[in-house]
Amino acid sequence: MKNANLLIHETSPYLLQHAYNPVNWQPWTEDAFSQAKAENKPVIISIGYSACHWCHVMERETFESEEAAALMNEFFICVKVDREERPDIDQIYLDAVQIITGQGGWPLNVICLPDKRPIFGGTYFRVDQWMDICDQIAGLWKTKPTEIYQYASDLEKGILKLNQIITNEEVNTSIATPHILFETLEKSIDPHLGGLKGSPKFPMPGILSFLANYGALHPHTKAIALLETTLQKMAHGGIYDQLGGGFSRYSVDGMWKVPHFEKMLYDNAQLIGVYSKAYRITKNPLYKKVVFETIGFCKRELAGENGGYQCALDADSEGVEGLYYCWKKDEIRSLLNDFEYPVFKSYYGIDTLGKWEHDLNILLVANPVAAVASELNISDKEVLHHLTTAKEKLFEARQLKIYPGIDTKILCSWNALLLSGLCEAYKAFPVIYIEETARDLFAFLQKEMMKDHTLFRSPVSEKRVLDAFSEDYALTIEAFLSYYATFMDICAFNCAIGLFETMENEFFDTERSLYAFTSLKKEPLIIHKFDISDNVMPSSNSVMALNAFTLYLLTGDGKYKIKADLMLDICLGHTLKFPAYYYNWAKLATYRFHKHAEISFTGEKAYEIQKFFNLDYHPNCLSIAATETENACPALAHKDFTKEVNIYVCSGEACLAPTEKYGEAVKLIATLMQE
């Protein structure tokens, strides 16, 4: 049979990886499902992403098998989906697989009716398992079609039920104080190793951000200690690239030692912001090091030619997971001199704590500098010098290795996360390097990801442009508001307002008072999803609720506060029970149940004074500045611009008398937040 694999015409690196399989893959189009109806065949929908290790394994073992491909091609229409391009498809079928098997993951393999309703699903299958499944379903399709259609109907009901938004009215939401939320969250956090208890361990930047905010508001609690434990364990662990900066997606163990070596833009974008925020609270130099190294990683290894940032690096190189990042002891010894090697060996636990499989070592901090100095009878300064030169040599040698595959897709929401992270970094470290990086990324989002007040998920210059989801809108609005507040650019504020209105018109469901994941003006897959729970990336609804509250502060328009309050009321019961997975809602709750402030700087020196103010972290405070009315948002428009600087401290609908004295303003803020 002639190979009719159509993926060669796609742009997604993940789809192109499968373009030469003997399977007759098609991209997700209505034509594929029309063909399934015309030929009366079920549809195999296989979902994954470029950096997924087990996706690569299943491709090699199963989808490159001529025998398996022949079976698939004869009895099925075969559709491949990049989950990062189409998270809407992924969410629906992930729900189905979780109902069928009790768990989900990738690769995600689902068999559906021609009307897209699932009848079977799972994750990774060996070639013999997969062929057995295809054989059985092909047989049932011929002999028991009525039973298959009935099962599809039952499964569809399960998916609908799973996606019902229950408001948990039986929960006493009046007790949803920040203290209660933190006490519940604290039970989920590992006090010794950081992160959520158990394994695998994901960074969960949103939880860390909540700990920073709550801990700064309530310094007598354990919040900052839990935050610091997590950040330090991660920065010293194998999950962090000790040579080149940047974090892997997660650690397979509970100690942050063995990473799943894929490196994602969305993780690193958010962690830049978290470590910057933590530096503003603690001034720990480790956090500064991590921020600059991680920005360096993004610019060096993820920056695309058109100004945006690409999605990910693979876990594998040369077909082996982690090979690019790991080292054999003899390999290290051959690269370092007699002074560098013992320091490097002790510090990184070579052949001790760092030892892994295949005689490889994961680089992680096994011993502090002082302990290495004591062991080798040299000074701390000498240890640091030898470590620096050794890392430079290994990094240069690593550059000559076969590089991991790179997912060159550029996605709107992930780039928006990076812009938000850079804004947070600039507050902690107001240097030209970060400012220029942020300004270039803002310009890219404006030029390549939007037209008028419509966003696109992929750059408009690409030959196939993807429609944006609510995730793209929510995170871009958040990034533009942060950019405005950080760099005093009124254009970013106006863009955010326009995008917010598009969200209202296309995604907001007035009956549920929530935003659908896909535009309500377009046909849903099976149902319209309304995501409210936060995971490694926050949900679009929680981000939009926070955006609404921020716009209330920036405009004084009560409609935004009404929206934020209404959305929080819907999700407050869930937040009380599971704050680890509703962390953004918990953050919004701290604004409702604790004092919050808007700090305005006006006048010729407003921007410089604001930058100085931002060097420290001020929880529950939004700072904005304008040197003239032309770059002022509505909250600043009628304030006094005649002095070198005027500082206004406002909370709710009331502002204290302005002051020209910085020290006095800081005291006013401290007094206000303690009330």
Side-chain angles (χ1 to χ4, degrees):
M1 181 183 291
K2 184 181 178 181
N3 183 13
N5 190 325
L6 302 180
L7 299 185
I8 194 63
H9 306 296
E10 294 302 298
T11 57
S12 156
Y14 173 69
L15 298 184
L16 290 171
Q17 285 169 6
H18 292 264
Y20 297 98
N21 296 163
V23 179
N24 292 342
W25 291 120
Q26 301 185 46
W28 178 283
T29 62
E30 286 306 315
D31 288 345
F33 293 95
S34 296
Q35 182 185 351
K37 290 174 185 175
E39 298 180 12
N40 191 31
K41 289 182 178 180
V43 181
I44 291 171
I45 301 173
S46 182
I47 304 172
Y49 59 102
S50 177
C52 168
H53 170 71
W54 287 103
C55 298
H56 298 322
V57 174
M58 190 166 175
E59 182 197 6
R60 289 195 302 267
E61 294 180 350
T62 305
F63 299 138
E64 290 184 359
S65 163
E66 295 284 350
E67 191 177 2
L71 184 60
M72 294 167 68
N73 294 338
E74 182 175 358
F75 296 108
F76 301 88
I77 301 300
C78 305
V79 172
K80 257 290 172 191
V81 176
D82 183 331
R83 69 175 291 257
E84 294 165 352
E85 281 193 340
R86 293 299 303 270
D88 55 333
I89 298 170
D90 180 61
Q91 288 176 7
I92 294 290
Y93 294 112
L94 184 60
D95 284 352
V97 170
Q98 287 172 331
I99 291 171
I100 294 167
T101 69
Q103 58 186 8
W106 301 274
L108 192 68
N109 293 289
V110 182
I111 299 178
C112 297
L113 303 177
D115 65 9
K116 304 184 180 80
R117 288 184 295 164
I119 56 175
F120 172 83
T123 53
Y124 164 79
F125 296 99
R126 299 190 312 271
V127 65
D128 56 327
Q129 293 174 316
W130 183 243
M131 289 178 67
D132 284 345
I133 289 162
C134 290
D135 209 22
Q136 289 177 40
I137 291 179
L140 289 171
W141 187 259
K142 288 183 178 180
T143 60
K144 297 182 179 180
T146 304
E147 292 183 19
I148 285 180
Y149 271 82
Q150 182 58 53
Y151 182 71
S153 296
D154 293 341
L155 189 53
E156 181 183 20
K157 291 174 185 174
I159 294 171
L160 290 167
K161 185 176 180 180
L162 188 65
N163 285 279
Q164 287 178 343
I165 305 296
I166 301 171
T167 59
N168 285 320
E169 291 177 359
E170 72 277 8
V171 176
N172 181 9
T173 56
S174 66
I175 65 169
T177 66
H179 300 296
I180 296 295
L181 291 167
F182 170 69
E183 287 170 5
T184 306
L185 176 61
E186 184 184 7
K187 296 171 186 175
S188 304
I189 298 176
D190 186 330
H192 305 295
L193 296 169
L196 296 177
K197 291 177 179 176
S199 61
K201 278 195 187 295
F202 288 81
M204 299 298 288
I207 292 177
L208 302 177
S209 184
F210 174 80
L211 289 176
N213 195 63
Y214 177 83
L217 281 169
H218 307 285
H220 59 282
T221 65
K222 299 177 185 176
I224 296 299
L226 293 172
L227 171 69
E228 291 218 78
T229 296
T230 304
L231 295 183
Q232 291 172 29
K233 293 291 185 182
M234 285 171 53
H236 287 150
I239 193 173
Y240 185 67
D241 182 350
Q242 302 293 331
L243 296 183
F247 292 86
S248 294
R249 182 165 166 250
Y250 65 89
S251 168
V252 301
D253 57 89
M255 300 174 61
W256 307 106
K257 175 182 174 178
V258 181
H260 190 30
F261 288 89
E262 59 194 0
K263 294 169 82 172
M264 317 298 291
L265 175 60
Y266 61 75
D267 285 316
N268 287 285
Q270 293 179 90
L271 289 169
I272 287 168
V274 170
Y275 275 89
S276 297
K277 191 176 290 186
Y279 179 83
R280 293 166 70 200
I281 297 170
T282 66
K283 309 303 180 188
N284 187 330
L286 172 64
Y287 305 157
K288 179 178 181 179
K289 171 179 173 290
V290 168
V291 168
F292 279 89
E293 287 181 351
T294 304
I295 294 174
F297 155 71
C298 291
K299 288 176 69 69
R300 183 181 66 247
E301 301 187 42
L302 294 180
E305 293 180 359
N306 60 357
Y309 288 78
Q310 300 168 133
C311 281
L313 297 181
D314 274 8
D316 300 3
S317 56
E318 302 180 65
V320 179
E321 185 179 9
L323 184 62
Y324 182 76
Y325 301 100
C326 298
W327 302 82
K328 291 185 178 181
K329 181 175 71 172
D330 292 345
E331 197 178 9
I332 297 170
R333 184 67 189 90
S334 68
L335 292 166
L336 303 182
N337 65 34
D338 292 341
F339 299 103
E340 296 159 348
Y341 177 70
V343 170
F344 194 90
K345 180 175 182 292
S346 176
Y347 186 75
Y348 286 116
I350 304 303
D351 268 4
T352 55
L353 186 61
K355 192 169 185 178
W356 189 42
E357 56 190 30
H358 308 304
D359 293 324
L360 292 170
N361 284 271
I362 297 169
L363 298 186
L364 49 82
V365 178
N367 295 297
V369 168
V372 176
S374 177
E375 175 192 340
L376 300 176
N377 197 27
I378 57 178
S379 68
D380 289 4
K381 186 176 180 180
E382 288 174 292
V383 170
L384 290 170
H385 170 72
H386 294 317
L387 273 177
T388 299
T389 57
K391 287 171 67 176
E392 288 172 352
K393 289 180 179 179
L394 262 70
F395 181 78
E396 289 176 7
R398 192 175 80 175
Q399 296 292 90
L400 302 176
K401 290 185 178 184
I402 294 176
Y403 197 65
I406 183 165
D407 188 334
T408 56
K409 284 196 316 295
I410 293 177
L411 299 178
C412 182
S413 58
W414 297 19
N415 277 264
L417 283 171
L418 180 58
L419 181 58
S420 292
L422 290 168
C423 290
E424 196 65 48
Y426 187 75
K427 291 174 186 175
F429 316 107
V431 296
I432 293 295
Y433 169 71
I434 296 176
E435 179 178 3
E436 289 181 345
T437 304
R439 291 192 183 279
D440 289 346
L441 183 52
F442 174 66
F444 165 80
L445 287 167
Q446 274 193 303
K447 178 183 177 184
E448 287 285 343
M449 291 301 194
M450 61 185 294
K451 184 177 181 182
D452 298 325
H453 298 310
T454 298
L455 278 179
F456 301 96
R457 186 158 178 83
S458 58
V460 295
S461 59
E462 291 187 355
K463 66 179 182 181
R464 190 165 69 86
V465 180
L466 301 170
D467 291 335
F469 301 104
S470 62
E471 167 191 289
D472 300 295
Y473 278 92
L475 291 170
T476 303
I477 293 166
E478 180 182 54
F480 283 4
L481 292 176
S482 181
Y483 187 84
Y484 166 71
T486 306
F487 295 106
M488 205 175 60
D489 188 335
I490 195 64
C491 177
F493 173 79
N494 292 331
C495 286
I497 291 287
L499 294 175
F500 197 98
E501 290 306 311
T502 302
M503 274 288 279
E504 291 299 293
N505 295 331
E506 291 203 11
F507 294 86
F508 191 67
D509 185 302
T510 53
E511 184 179 337
R512 292 178 176 84
S513 295
L514 293 168
Y515 297 91
F517 192 79
T518 54
S519 172
L520 293 170
K521 294 186 177 180
K522 295 176 182 175
E523 196 70 27
L525 300 172
I526 297 175
I527 61 168
H528 273 298
K529 292 276 292 185
F530 292 83
D531 63 323
I532 60 172
S533 61
D534 302 316
N535 207 295
V536 176
M537 285 177 63
S539 68
S540 56
N541 274 290
S542 70
V543 176
M544 282 302 292
L546 283 167
N547 287 341
F549 188 80
T550 302
L551 282 171
Y552 161 65
L553 297 179
L554 294 175
T555 65
D557 191 332
K559 73 179 182 182
Y560 294 115
K561 185 174 187 300
I562 291 170
K563 180 176 287 290
D565 285 342
L566 182 59
M567 294 176 72
L568 179 58
D569 285 338
I570 292 168
C571 298
L572 202 47
H574 299 283
T575 308
L576 272 169
K577 288 184 175 181
F578 310 108
Y581 296 98
Y582 290 84
Y583 52 75
N584 255 3
W585 301 104
K587 180 180 178 182
L588 184 57
T590 64
Y591 289 115
R592 175 185 289 185
F593 296 104
H594 197 287
K595 283 283 187 180
H596 56 82
E598 170 214 312
I599 318 302
S600 302
F601 300 85
T602 62
E604 182 184 344
K605 293 187 176 179
Y607 186 46
E608 294 305 315
I609 302 298
Q610 185 209 24
K611 284 199 293 184
F612 184 74
F613 176 80
N614 284 341
L615 291 174
D616 293 321
Y617 182 64
H618 303 275
N620 273 31
C621 291
L622 173 67
S623 76
I624 51 177
T627 54
E628 54 190 2
T629 55
E630 284 73 14
N631 56 31
C633 66
L636 292 173
H638 301 293
K639 291 183 166 59
D640 182 7
F641 288 81
T642 60
K643 299 183 173 64
E644 280 195 334
V645 66
N646 251 330
I647 306 171
Y648 297 81
V649 178
C650 305
S651 183
E653 285 74 38
C655 290
L656 302 176
T659 178
E660 299 173 55
K661 298 178 180 178
Y662 179 81
E664 184 178 326
V666 171
K667 289 179 182 178
L668 288 173
I669 296 166
T671 302
L672 174 69
M673 301 306 283
Q674 290 171 4
E675 289 178 359

